[in-house]
């Protein structure tokens, strides 16, 4: 967190830990808030940096922890719990270590350990978080500016290789912790022995670890952890292999037999129990301690015990078996790596708690100085014994004693293994009845060296009786001496010992009595054949591991050095200081040639070199020996050329280093003793020695001379050791003198040698050591050595030999050069020339391997050192333009390679930044040469193109995108290097301006690269680069008269670049901005406006801007996880843009398939079919070959179109849009038929038939449609301030859809009204959603109005191919009649026309036009009754044709209509429209009043017919209800004055499936339609009107005017009736009216949950007007009458009606299952409403037959009442739009099939029935157009103009894709 954010003027934001400098008076900050510490300022000025003068490790910890803190929180958000917790612990650990460092109380060693631990933790965290690798030197970060590039590279490479391939530890250790033995048959104490065993060589590798377990199987001493835990130390890397095992032997301590009963015998024996084996390779992959349960096996035969572990390893199952099913040894095993001291530091708890050390048999791979060891290991192998007079074999036990020279038993020197202290004696285990027992038991005898002489080991053999007494009887013994008389110890190996017979009472205490006897059969004299011939023997194996004792008597003292006793040899040499010079001269060749030098060269004894150095420095005293040593060495060197055998000479030359050490030390001692006498003599001797050496080295390799050929190897031996002499010579000679020696010596080497000569590699090795030596680091001597080093180096590089070593040498040389060093120009040029050849070869190969990587570092270091003067000299060195051109091309190519991401590892950001800094500096120097030498008439396109290409990829490389860095990292980079992208961008702009007319050479090639640069989110860079596009357009306009190439390239590249994630909203605004960009340069648009071609230029800018809008939206949407409407809508917008505005066919097709994949992922199969149909329509049935494109193979156009057809049909089938699939099946069938492909034709016909079956047999759900408005500037461009109609998912209703939209747009605000928003909403910086449901207006009215067509077929045409949608909002006009609201209830009807029909390529389409009309109360009443009549007809027909399996829907509908009519429902219509006042005041409505009367009369007739049908099918338990309905129907007729019905004349033009038994000669029926001209699909629930309105006028029960008077005026039928909805709780007449303040809630409640306005869905809890009243019940609600309220979500007509007393009969509500099985649509009133409602039951209809066709007659003028159109487009404009601007057809209905027309399905006949009376025929379907304005573009014109179909654009010819 920030303590101070610095938001005030001159404020400095500060965080905890920040360091700053202030010059204000003391006391400005509270003392508790700050800590004063020293600091220094770097880069003083505007960009200065304050660096605290503290330990760099502390500074790094502070900055790193800050970066980790932010990333650590993000880990929690990403749910990476494991790394989150691990990082948390590491951060706490670093904080604790940081406190320790800050306190400063640590010792130097401890501080070093803490810093090492800190850096290890920092590196671990950086690696886990994918942060940069930090270059360090001695735990501190290095500044790249303070070291050379080559040194930085070495540091980075060292750390990288350490991280990638950690240096394998040479020492390994095995930690073992014994926990318990689990077994069901325990009861005796156990002994467990562990050891490491080599299965390949069948020998143990370590001594044994011994653990005692009690009778419960747990360690006997749990408090002593060292007796449970051990560490097997000093395992080599060769020991970690699969055939090395951990072997466990378990012994029980008890009776002889495990199953013997307990007796009085107290003697116990060690008996075999079991064995376990585990491979050590199984532990290599374990990171921590693993608990293992080892299976314990027992021997099948006890005599095989000695090799049971080998049998288990070889899996010889016949010789062992499981000791028990539940027997297992629980141990913890872990492999540790590193030396023992490192383990003590890292695992301090382990060693503090206590752990025993189990040593390896023999010395470890590395012997450390001072290591002392003296261990003798004996293995009791086997024995051969006779029966001893017994009938059975003996039970032999061996007791082992160690006795000293005096015959006394040595206490505690017999150990069974580590873990337990040694004892005085050791008892072997007993094998039952075995005279040839094999034990293979190992014991350890750690006898001191001083007690080794004269000691021996005695083995006593006893027979163990199994009788009750359990006696152990001694019957023999053996012994062995540990050291011979000559001082040699017992040799390693197997020894056969003699068994001496004795009795139990034999006195063995006096060892002198038997020591004179022979002990081994191998040492018996020849005359003692009796003892040799005896069969009884005992075998042991001994192995001595000692640093003091030897088993070889020859050359005894020197043999000590062979086993590692170098310290002893040094003591010998230093102890006798009186040695004469002659003795020393003779002694040194002996020591150096044969032993000491050879041993020191062995890696096993490398740690003894410091011992030798210490001896020379501190103990050597031969002050006169240097003369003889020089002479001896010169003598050997002079003999090299002539000697045939040079082995001894090479041994001397190999010891040259230490010979010079002795020479120099002897001379120093002599000079110190004599005051510097004989100095000149000494120098002459050294000069003569080096002259001999130079002569010896100058001899060339000649194959003809064997001596010279052998001398080459001697030269190689000397050169290997020669660099080690430099340091010794510097102790006496000056730097320049030593440098002269080295220069002359190396210069004497032969220049020309064979490539296969071994001397070549040695020469380079010698040069490498020279460059790394102390002599070369001195600048004074470096100038002397550099020429000869470069000469030898250049020779190898030119011949391309040993490039790895050459690169290593160059790296070391350049590491010493600093920027401020006075390096001569000759040196730099010489280095550059030496590098040029190698770079041209190495950089063309792989990049990061060692030679190339080091060469790269050398090149960068060299370029970094070069100044202006050096660059001038380098460029002037080129004699011709071609050489300069080649150099520039080469170096630009090298730079492009260096910029590649794979050049360096991912986390080498420091190295990349240094590389980029060197590159941009060099490019700035070379760009001047490019301008001077390759411009104007000398223009060279290739060089300029290479330059621009390098500049573009330089700017776009990931490591320079500072926006992706953390704030702290970005700050560090800017402080050190600045933004190098801007620097390079300015250079590009400058170079581009210099091109002049040559710019045309880069148009359009450089449009894409420059566009990519401008997409980098750096404002300054964009300001510089965008004006370049003006130049491109201008020059292209001059050349071609247009800039179509610029436009095409710009658009193509823009799509690919922005799809890669480049570009942002700021770039779009900047591209279209008129604000000046960079300095004096105006904006792109401003510059274009000044040109003569400004119109086309501005058009291009506008087009590109709109494309960027859509591409940005598309990219943002694609970032989301799941497929939603935004992704699909955005893809549709982009697809249409490419098609209509850009005419980019290939991009158009690509986005078609992207949209198709989105639909498939979202399971929008119908939309996927329409999408793929767009591509299908671009193809033709031709044989034109098409190339491979997207996922399509190379094929003909016919084959691809066939494949598309089949895919589309499959998706139409999955989307249950079978009618569309049938059309495509027919088209494919025609093609198959034309090619006589009857096989596929048959398949296609069967597929078509299956689709027909699915139409008739499977249920389809009718989707809901919703109008969605997106308002506000925060929406994407393709949605912003637009309205759409969306096709909902299956079962999705308004509430679910609204919630889905809010989830897709979580920041959106749901608008609480349906009124059109004002400009404030349009321009708001927010997101507003306006959602309500709308009703579709079907196009195929002839299918919907045809009799007998099954509902399965009609349901498709109701909701498919829909262009227009309707939404109705009720309101009151004029004075509202409180007694009868129907008099002033109007409906505002909004019709929305889409740009494409639904369904289509998207689930939503934009609204193209809005039309508003007002429906009068009378017209509304006509439509309500007409819809109810059609609903009754539909239910009756379904019941008659037995499509309805359950009669409940018809029962409930009849009950709702009849019951409401009996209680006076239709009387409200009679009161409103059949009164004299209304007829007189509205003479133009006479025909409409007559139409209303006809509909009422028709309804009564339909009810009578419906009751007759109902009586036929009603079940027995519902007969009382039917009787009640019949009685109520008669009451209804009598109340309305209807006694009988006239006969109806059936319409000849309509196929009526119901038989008409009424005479055709009856009274005339006026066959008129409702005057409504909108064919609506009214799918409201049957309870869409509420009882709220009836509360206001429920006291009105009579008619205001007599019906006879009205009938006389109208000359129509007798009575008019209305239906009134029954209430669940009837209201009495005269109930008080609701107050006005409750109107809002009352009128909102009139809509169902699918019909309410948004305010009803989101009520205001504080508004009492919106509180629910007891009458707001479900779907029985009334519409709003307030015109200011939001319109309902579905465009349906709604009536305000009155409710009176309800019937006592409760309503019958069918189950959804029954309704669906009856073939009813899901949204019909039969499904959703209550059939007990009266007027509400007939107020809406679920089908569109009530509306009929929308064609109007010319007999009646259109209604001239007030209308509210919302569209300014005229009819003609609409027609033109559909003809010219309609995008490609998305509907399958617009496809034209030239071979087979599409016919509508035939109507189906209903089986005739003569039982019920005839249903009156439907009235004529024509209507007048008195209600609305019909646009000229409407297909159903009212003016008689023939219908003009929507034009279908001709399919464009697809390019050869």
């Amino acid at each position: 967190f920030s303590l101070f954010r610095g938001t005030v003027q001159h404020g400095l934001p500060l965080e905890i830990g920040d360091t700053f400098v202030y010059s204000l008076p003391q006391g400005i900050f509270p003392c508790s808030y700050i800590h004063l510490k020293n600091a220094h300022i770097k880069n003083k000025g505007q960009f200065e940096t304050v660096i605290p003068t503290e330990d760099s490790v502390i500074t790094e910890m502070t900055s790193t922890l800050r970066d980790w803190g932010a990333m650590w929180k993000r880990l929690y958000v990403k749910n990476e719990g494991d790394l989150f917790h691990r990082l948390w612990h590491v951060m706490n650990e670093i904080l604790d270590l940081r406190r320790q460092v800050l306190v400063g109380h640590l010792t130097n060693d401890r501080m070093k350990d803490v810093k090492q631990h800190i850096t290890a933790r920092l590196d671990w965290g950086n690696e886990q978080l994918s942060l940069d690798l930090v270059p360090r030197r001695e735990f501190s970060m290095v500044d790249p500016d303070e070291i050379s590039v080559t040194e930085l590279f070495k540091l980075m490479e060292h750390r990288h290789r350490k991280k990638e391939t950690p240096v394998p530890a040479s020492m390994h250790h095995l930690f073992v912790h014994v926990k318990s033995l689990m077994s069901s048959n325990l009861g005796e104490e156990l002994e467990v022995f562990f050891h490491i065993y080599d299965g390949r060589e069948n020998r143990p590798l370590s001594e044994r670890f011994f653990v005692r377990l009690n009778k419960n199987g747990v360690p006997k001493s749990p408090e002593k952890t060292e007796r449970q835990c051990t560490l097997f130390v000093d395992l080599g890397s060769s020991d970690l292999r699969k055939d090395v095992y951990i072997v466990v032997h378990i012994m029980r301590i008890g009776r002889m037999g495990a199953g013997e009963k307990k007796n009085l015998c107290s003697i116990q024996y060690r008996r075999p129990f079991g064995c376990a084996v585990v491979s050590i390779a199984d532990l290599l992959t374990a990171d921590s301690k693993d608990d293992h349960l080892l299976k314990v096996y027992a021997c099948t035969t006890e005599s095989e015990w000695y090799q049971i572990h080998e049998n288990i390893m070889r899996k010889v199952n016949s010789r062992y078996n499981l000791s028990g099913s539940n027997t297992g040894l629980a141990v913890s095993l872990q492999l540790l790596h590193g030396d023992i001291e490192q383990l003590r530091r890292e695992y301090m708890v382990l060693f503090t708690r206590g752990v025993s050390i189990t040593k390896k048999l023999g010395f470890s791979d590395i012997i450390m100085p001072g290591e002392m060891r003296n261990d003798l290991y004996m293995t009791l192998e086997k024995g051969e014994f006779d029966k001893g007079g017994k009938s059975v074999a003996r039970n032999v036990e061996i007791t082992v004693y160690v006795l000293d020279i005096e015959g006394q038993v040595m206490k505690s020197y017999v150990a069974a293994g580590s873990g337990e202290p040694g004892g005085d004696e050791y008892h072997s285990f007993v094998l039952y009845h075995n005279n040839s027992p094999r034990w293979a038991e190992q014991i350890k005898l750690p006898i001191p060296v001083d007690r080794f002489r004269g000691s021996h080991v005695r083995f006593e053999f006893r027979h163990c009786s199994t009788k009750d007494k359990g006696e152990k009887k001694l019957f023999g013994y053996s012994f062995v001496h540990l050291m011979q008389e000559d001082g040699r110890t017992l040799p390693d190996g197997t020894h056969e010992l003699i068994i001496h017979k004795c009795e139990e009472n034999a006195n063995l205490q006096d060892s002198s009595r038997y020591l004179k006897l022979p002990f081994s059969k191998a040492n018996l004299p020849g005359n003692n054949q009796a003892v040799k011939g005896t069969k009884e023997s005992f075998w042991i194996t001994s192995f001595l591991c000692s640093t003091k004792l030897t088993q070889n008597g020859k050359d005894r003292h020197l043999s000590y050095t062979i086993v590692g006793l170098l310290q002893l040899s040094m003591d010998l040499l230093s102890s006798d200081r009186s040695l004469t010079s002659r003795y020393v001269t003779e002694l040194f060749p002996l020591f150096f040639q044969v032993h000491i030098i050879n041993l020191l060269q062995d890696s096993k004894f490398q740690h003894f070199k410091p011992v030798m150095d210490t001896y020379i420095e501190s103990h050597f005293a031969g002050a006169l020996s240097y003369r003889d040593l020089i002479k001896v060495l010169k003598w050997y060197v002079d003999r090299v050329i002539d000697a045939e055998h040079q082995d001894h000479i090479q041994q001397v030359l190999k010891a040259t280093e230490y010979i010079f050490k002795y020479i120099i030390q002897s001379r120093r001692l002599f000079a110190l003793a004599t005051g510097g006498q004989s100095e000149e003599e000494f120098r002459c001797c050294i000069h003569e020695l080096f002259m001999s050496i130079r002569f010896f080295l100058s001899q060339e390799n000649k194959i003809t001379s064997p001596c010279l050929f052998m001398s080459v190897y001697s030269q190689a031996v000397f050169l290997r050791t020669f660099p080690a002499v430099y340091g010794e010579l510097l102790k006496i000679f000056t730097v320049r003198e030593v440098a002269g020696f080295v220069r002359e010596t190396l210069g004497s080497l032969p220049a020309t040698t064979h490539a296969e000569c071994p001397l070549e590699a040695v020469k380079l090795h010698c040069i490498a050591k020279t460059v790394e030596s102390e002599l070369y680091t001195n600048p004074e001597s470096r100038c002397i050595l550099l020429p000869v080093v470069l000469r030898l180096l250049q020779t190898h590089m030119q011949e391309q030999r040993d490039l790895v070593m050459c690169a290593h040498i160059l790296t070391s040389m350049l590491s010493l050069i600093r920027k401020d060093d006075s390096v001569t120009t000759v040196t730099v040029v010489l280095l550059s020339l030496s590098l040029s050849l190698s770079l041209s070869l190495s950089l063309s190969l792989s990049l990061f391997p060692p030679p190339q990587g080091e060469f790269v570092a050398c090149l960068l270091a060299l370029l970094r050192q070069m100044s202006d003067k050096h660059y001038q000299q380098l460029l002037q060195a080129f004699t011709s333009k071609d050489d300069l051109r080649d150099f520039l091309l080469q170096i630009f190519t090298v730079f492009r390679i260096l910029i590649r991401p794979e050049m360096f590892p991912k986390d080498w950001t420091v190295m990349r930044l240094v590389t980029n800094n060197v590159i941009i500096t060099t490019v700035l120097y070379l760009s001047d040469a490019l301008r001077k030498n390759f411009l104007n008439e000398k223009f060279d396109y290739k060089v300029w193109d290479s330059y621009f290409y390098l500049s573009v990829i330089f700017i776009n490389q990931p490591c320079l995108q500072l926006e992706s860095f953390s704030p702290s990292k970005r700050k560090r980079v800017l402080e050190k290097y600045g933004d190098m992208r801007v620097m390079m961008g300015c250079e590009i702009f400058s170079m581009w301006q210099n091109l002049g007319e040559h710019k045309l050479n880069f148009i359009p090639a450089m449009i894409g690269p420059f566009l990519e640069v401008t997409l980098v989110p750096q404002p300054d860079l964009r300001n510089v680069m965008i004006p370049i596009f003006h130049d491109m357009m201008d020059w292209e306009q001059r050349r071609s008269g247009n800039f179509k190439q610029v436009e095409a390239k710009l658009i193509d590249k823009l799509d690919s670049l922005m799809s890669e994630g480049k570009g942002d909203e700021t770039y779009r605004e900047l591209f279209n901005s008129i604000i000046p960009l960079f300095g004096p340069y105006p904006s792109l648009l401003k510059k274009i406006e000044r040109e003569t071609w400004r119109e086309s230029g501005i058009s291009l800018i506008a087009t590109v801007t709109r494309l960027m809008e859509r591409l940005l939206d598309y990219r943002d949407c694609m970032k989301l996880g799941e497929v939603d409407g935004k992704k699909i809508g955005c893809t549709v917008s982009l697809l249409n843009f490419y098609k209509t505005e850009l005419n980019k066919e290939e991009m158009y097709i690509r986005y078609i398939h992207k949209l198709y994949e989105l639909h498939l992922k979202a399971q929008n199969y119908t939309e996927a079919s329409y999408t793929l149909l767009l591509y299908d329509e671009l193809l033709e049935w031709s044989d034109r070959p098409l190339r491979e494109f997207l996922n399509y193979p190379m094929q003909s156009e016919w084959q691809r179109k066939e494949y598309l057809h089949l895919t589309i049909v499959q998706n139409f089938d999955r989307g249950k849009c079978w009618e569309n699939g049938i059309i495509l099946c027919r088209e494919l069938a025609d093609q198959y038929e034309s090619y006589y492909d009857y096989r596929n034709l048959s398949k296609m016909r069967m597929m078509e038939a299956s689709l027909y079956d699915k139409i008739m047999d499977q249920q389809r759900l009718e989707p809901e449609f919703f109008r969605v408005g997106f308002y506000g500037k925060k929406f994407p461009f393709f949605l912003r301030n637009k309205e759409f109609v969306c096709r909902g998912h299956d079962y999705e209703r308004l509430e679910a859809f609204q919630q889905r939209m809010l989830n897709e747009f979580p920041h959106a605000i749901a608008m609480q009204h349906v009124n059109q928003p004002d400009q404030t909403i349009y321009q708001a910086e927010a997101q507003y959603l306006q959602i309500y449901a709308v009703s579709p207006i079907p196009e195929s009215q002839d299918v919907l109005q045809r009799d007998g067509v099954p509902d399965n077929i009609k349901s498709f045409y109701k909701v498919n191919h829909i262009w227009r949608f309707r939404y109705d909002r009720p309101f009151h006009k004029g004075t509202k009649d409180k007694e009868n609201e129907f008099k002033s209830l109007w409906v505002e009807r909004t019709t929305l026309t889409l740009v494409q029909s639904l369904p289509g390529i998207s689930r939503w389409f934009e609204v193209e036009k809005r039309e508003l009309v007002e429906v009068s109360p009378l017209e509304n009443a006509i439509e309500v009754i007409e819809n109810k009549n059609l609903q009754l007809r539909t239910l009756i027909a379904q019941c008659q044709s037995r499509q309805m399996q359950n009669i409940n829907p018809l029962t409930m509908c009849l009950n709702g209509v009849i019951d409401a009519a009996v209680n006076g429902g239709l009387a409200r219509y009679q009161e409103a429209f059949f009164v004299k006042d209304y007829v007189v005041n509205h003479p133009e409505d006479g025909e409409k009043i007559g139409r209303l009367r006809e509909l009422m009369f028709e309804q009564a007739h339909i009810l009578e017919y419906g009751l007759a049908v109902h009586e036929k099918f009603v079940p027995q338990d519902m007969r009382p209800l039917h009787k009640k309905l019949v009685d109520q129907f008669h009451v209804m007729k009598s109340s309305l004055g209807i006694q009988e019905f006239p006969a109806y004349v059936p319409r000849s033009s309509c196929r009526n499936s119901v038989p008409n038994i009424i005479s055709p000669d009856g009274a005339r029926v006026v066959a008129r339609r409702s005057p409504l001209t909108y064919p609506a699909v009214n799918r409201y629930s049957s309870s869409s009107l509420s009882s709220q309105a009836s509360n206001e006028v429920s006291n009105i029960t009579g008619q205001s005017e007599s019906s006879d008077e009205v009938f006389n005026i109208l000359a129509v039928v007798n009575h008019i009736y209305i239906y009134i909805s029954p209430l669940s709780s009837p209201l009495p007449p005269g109930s008080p009216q609701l107050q006005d303040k409750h109107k809002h809630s009352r009128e909102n409640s009139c809509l169902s949950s699918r019909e309410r306005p948004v305010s009803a869905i989101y009520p205001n809890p504080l508004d009492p007007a919106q509180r629910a009243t007891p009458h707001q019940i479900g779907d029985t609600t009334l519409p709003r009458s307030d015109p200011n309220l939001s319109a309902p979500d579905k465009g349906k007509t709604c009536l305000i009606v009155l409710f009176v007393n309800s019937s006592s009969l409760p309503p019958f509500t069918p189950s959804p299952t029954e309704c669906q099985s009856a073939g009813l649509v899901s949204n019909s009133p039969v499904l959703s409403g209550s059939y007990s409602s009266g007027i509400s039951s007939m107020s809406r209809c679920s089908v569109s037959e009530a509306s009929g066709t929308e064609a109007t007659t010319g007999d009646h003028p259109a209604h001239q009442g007030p209308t509210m159109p919302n569209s300014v487009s005229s009819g003609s404009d609409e027609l033109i739009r559909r003809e010219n601007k309609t995008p490609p057809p998305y509907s399958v209905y617009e496809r034209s099939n030239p071979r087979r027309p599409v016919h509508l399905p035939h109507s189906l006949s209903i089986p005739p029935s003569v039982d019920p009376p005839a249903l009156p025929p439907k009235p004529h379907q024509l209507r007048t157009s008195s209600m609305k304005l019909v646009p000229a573009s409407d297909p159903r014109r009212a003016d008689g103009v023939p219908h003009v179909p929507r034009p279908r654009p001709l399919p464009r010819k697809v390019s050869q894709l």
Side-chain angles (χ1 to χ4, degrees), residues 1229-1277:
D1230 291 343
Q1231 291 296 323
Y1232 290 144
E1233 187 175 2
S1234 65
Y1235 283 96
Y1236 299 96
D1237 187 356
Y1238 289 164
R1239 181 71 63 188
N1240 284 327
L1241 176 62
S1242 172
K1243 294 179 182 178
M1244 195 51 55
R1245 293 302 186 193
M1246 288 189 289
M1247 182 184 296
E1248 183 180 350
S1250 67
L1251 298 180
Y1252 280 119
D1253 292 338
K1254 291 179 180 178
I1255 292 174
M1256 299 306 299
D1257 298 338
Q1258 295 189 21
Q1259 181 74 20
R1260 283 189 286 197
L1261 298 174
E1262 293 185 12
E1264 296 278 349
F1265 295 90
F1266 309 96
R1267 180 264 185 194
V1268 186
F1270 301 91
Y1271 303 112
K1273 298 176 69 174
K1274 287 297 184 180
F1275 278 112
F1277 281 95

Side-chain angles (χ1 to χ4, degrees), residues 336 666 678 754 1071-1072 1199 1212 1217 1408 1566 1595 1612 1777:
L336 307 176
S666 176
S678 306
H754 299 285
F1071 197 86
N1072 197 30
Q1199 291 173 329
F1212 272 137
C1217 199
E1408 183 181 43
V1566 181
N1595 56 343
V1612 291
R1777 187 201 64 77

Side-chain angles (χ1 to χ4, degrees), residues 1638-1731:
H1638 297 299
K1639 287 181 181 178
H1640 180 73
S1641 62
R1642 180 186 70 246
E1643 295 174 355
N1644 265 345
S1645 64
C1646 73
L1647 300 178
S1648 67
S1649 61
R1650 292 182 290 137
E1651 300 165 347
R1652 296 175 196 160
V1654 181
S1655 58
I1657 305 300
Y1658 296 93
N1660 185 357
L1662 301 179
D1663 187 1
Q1666 294 187 6
R1667 296 174 184 169
T1669 64
H1671 306 290
Q1672 295 174 350
I1673 302 172
D1675 292 337
T1676 60
T1677 55
L1678 282 172
R1680 287 267 303 158
S1681 59
D1682 189 349
N1684 296 324
L1685 292 178
S1686 60
D1689 57 1
K1690 284 184 179 290
K1692 310 292 192 299
T1693 304
C1694 190
L1695 296 179
I1696 301 297
V1697 299
L1698 307 178
F1699 290 140
V1700 296
N1701 293 340
S1702 66
S1703 171
S1704 59
L1705 182 65
F1708 289 84
T1709 305
S1711 66
T1713 305
E1714 294 170 346
C1715 298
Q1716 292 176 7
S1717 64
L1720 300 177
V1721 293
S1722 60
N1723 299 325
S1724 67
V1726 181
L1727 288 176
S1728 60
S1730 171
Y1731 288 86

Side-chain angles (χ1 to χ4, degrees), residues 332-347:
S332 178
L333 305 174
Q334 183 184 8
L335 266 178
L336 307 176
H337 311 280
D339 58 72
I340 195 68
E341 295 301 323
Q342 179 182 350
L343 295 184
R344 291 184 187 276
R345 292 193 302 268
E346 295 181 0
Y347 301 92

Side-chain angles (χ1 to χ4, degrees), residues 456-470:
H456 70 278
V457 180
R458 186 174 70 213
F459 307 93
E460 298 180 358
F461 307 101
R462 288 180 173 81
H463 168 67
C464 302
S465 174
T466 57
K467 295 180 180 179
D468 293 342
K469 293 182 180 180

Side-chain angles (χ1 to χ4, degrees), residues 504-517:
E504 177 63 28
N505 55 2
N507 184 12
L508 298 179
Q509 301 297 327
D510 186 6
S511 60
S512 60
R513 300 178 59 184
Y514 61 80
L515 287 178
K516 298 178 181 180
L517 300 174

